[in-house]
């Protein structure tokens, strides 16, 4: 089961960069309790800080990297990143 939280109506997670949006899923019975999608719709690469997560480890689900700090996340122009929180 998954509950979707779109960037246009849920501000639980956010970044302070123009053209970059954060949506997320609340997951049940899954390896991660939350899946966060950071989408960069701008025409510029961005390095963003993910707000709202606290002191957690993010797991890069797309590239299967072990972990990443929410402090500095690179999101290429017109691209997205997908992270899990345990």
């Amino acid at each position: 089961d998954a509950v979707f939280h779109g960037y246009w109506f849920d501000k639980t997670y956010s970044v302070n960069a123009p053209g970059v949006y954060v949506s997320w899923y609340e997951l049940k019975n899954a390896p991660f309790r939350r899946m966060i999608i950071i989408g960069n719709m701008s025409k510029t690469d961005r390095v963003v800080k993910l707000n709202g997560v606290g002191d957690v480890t993010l797991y890069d689900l797309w590239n299967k990297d072990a972990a990443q700090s929410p402090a500095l996340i690179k999101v290429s122009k017109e691209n997205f990143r997908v992270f899990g929180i345990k």
Side-chain angles (χ1 to χ4, degrees):
D1 292 333
V3 177
F4 178 70
H5 300 264
Y7 69 86
W8 58 93
F9 66 87
D10 188 309
K11 303 296 183 202
T12 300
Y13 303 113
S14 64
V15 296
N16 293 328
V20 182
Y21 305 96
V22 182
S23 294
W24 62 284
Y25 288 89
E26 188 173 4
L27 306 172
K28 297 177 182 161
N29 302 317
F32 297 93
R33 62 185 173 91
R34 296 202 170 161
M35 182 174 68
I36 299 172
I37 303 99
I38 304 172
N40 181 0
M41 304 305 164
S42 76
K43 302 223 181 266
T44 305
D45 292 345
R46 304 276 191 210
V47 176
V48 299
K49 178 184 185 301
L50 182 59
N51 301 309
V53 292
D55 188 25
V56 299
T57 300
L58 298 177
Y59 296 86
D60 188 330
L61 301 179
W62 190 265
N63 296 311
K64 299 186 177 157
D65 289 339
Q68 182 166 347
S69 165
L72 295 174
I73 299 170
K74 181 181 180 195
V75 187
S76 299
K77 64 182 180 180
E78 301 174 328
N79 214 323
F80 66 93
R81 302 286 303 273
V82 180
F83 296 98
I85 297 177
K86 288 191 174 191

